[in-house]
Amino acid sequence: GQNIDQPTEMTATEGAIVQINCTYQTSGFNGLFWYQQHAGEAPTFLSYNVLDGLEEKGRFSSFLSRSKGYSYLLLKELQMKDSASYLCAVSRGSTLGRLYFGRGTQLTVWP
Amino acid sequence: SAVISQKPSRDICQRGTSLTIQCQVDSQVTMMFWYRQQPGQSLTLIATANQGSEATYESGFVIDKFPISRPNLTFSTLTVSNMSPEDSSIYLCSVEDKAEDATEAFFGQGTRLTVV
């Protein structure tokens, strides 16, 4: 099985930086995905980490430590539109797109 | 990136009936995946659909309840059989897409199912 844990809720103000953590315990770890999901919409792909280290993509960065079973998503220069649920998902085995999701972190950005 | 179309986008169904959800991709993909997102919850993988073979189901999901077809490399269907109100969820299909410098997994827009 797999155990994927992330905070349920976070709040931050516009322009700030927020870090959403995700820890996991799983066998056959392949890689880790982060998704953004606005209410009533499908998840939108943000990042994929397979190697240790930081991947930067504009205002969003994602970090992975395979040895620690730990990842984080870093959001900079927060905007109101960043208010959404952020989902951490682990890929296991040889099939990359076979994902197991955490419960999601609901981020609220205040003006 | 792959473009995924799901039909229907939403439906309201009577308990005891079945609904078939279609997923069409604009490019050939080896694997397609079906997920369920119950109200207020995260996504749960139902099964992996391979072309030319039976789908692989996750623990807690069975073929009799969620039969899946995968007739070719661009299309799949998921049927929710003998529905009950507990099946009210968003059902999403997904594909993995490997480019030269990126690996991504995309989702369709989902089918919002309400069982009454």
Side-chain angles (χ1 to χ4, degrees):
Chain A
Q2 51 281 323
N3 188 6
I4 303 165
D5 193 35
Q6 52 182 129
T8 305
E9 295 179 335
M10 297 185 72
T11 60
T13 54
E14 264 189 311
I17 299 173
V18 70
Q19 177 174 312
I20 303 174
N21 296 325
C22 173
T23 59
Y24 63 89
Q25 291 178 308
T26 187
S27 57
F29 178 81
N30 188 334
L32 192 138
F33 288 80
W34 282 97
Y35 288 87
Q36 180 192 62
Q37 186 177 30
H38 286 98
E41 299 182 9
T44 301
F45 170 84
L46 291 178
S47 68
Y48 170 65
N49 293 68
V50 62
L51 300 176
D52 285 359
L54 187 68
E55 296 274 346
E56 298 189 71
K57 193 183 292 186
R59 293 190 299 116
F60 293 2
S61 303
S62 57
F63 172 84
L64 176 67
S65 169
R66 295 175 69 114
S67 62
K68 295 182 179 178
Y70 168 68
S71 175
Y72 67 72
L73 180 69
L74 192 71
L75 293 75
K76 304 176 186 176
E77 302 170 14
L78 281 173
Q79 303 173 11
M80 298 287 289
K81 68 178 182 179
D82 296 328
S83 292
S85 181
Y86 291 85
L87 308 173
C88 167
V90 168
S91 173
R92 296 177 60 212
S94 59
T95 304
L96 182 74
R98 188 174 165 212
L99 302 179
Y100 300 88
F101 283 80
R103 291 191 170 188
T105 299
Q106 183 63 47
L107 173 66
T108 302
V109 180
W110 299 102
Chain B
S1 60
V3 176
I4 304 170
S5 302
Q6 262 188 255
K7 293 180 181 179
S9 58
R10 60 178 64 230
D11 208 343
I12 301 173
C13 300
Q14 296 288 328
R15 69 180 67 198
T17 63
S18 298
L19 175 72
T20 295
I21 302 167
Q22 300 180 5
C23 181
Q24 179 77 52
V25 189
D26 68 343
S27 58
Q28 293 186 340
V29 293
T30 305
M31 300 285 192
M32 295 178 76
F33 309 90
W34 287 98
Y35 292 83
R36 178 174 74 181
Q37 187 171 28
Q38 294 175 301
Q41 304 295 315
S42 190
L43 282 75
T44 301
L45 180 63
I46 297 172
T48 302
N50 307 323
Q51 194 267 333
S53 63
E54 280 198 1
T56 305
Y57 289 83
E58 298 295 312
S59 176
F61 297 96
V62 295
I63 188 171
D64 289 349
K65 176 67 176 176
F66 297 102
I68 288 171
S69 79
R70 183 79 200 275
N72 57 53
L73 292 174
T74 63
F75 187 78
S76 179
T77 68
L78 170 76
T79 299
V80 186
S81 302
N82 188 25
M83 288 184 283
S84 67
E86 290 72 33
D87 294 320
S88 297
S89 290
I90 299 172
Y91 292 86
L92 300 111
C93 72
S94 170
V95 303
E96 63 183 54
D97 192 7
K98 296 181 184 178
E100 279 188 12
D101 60 348
T103 299
E104 303 183 14
F106 297 98
F107 284 85
Q109 287 303 105
T111 297
R112 185 179 295 272
L113 171 62
T114 303
V115 184
V116 296

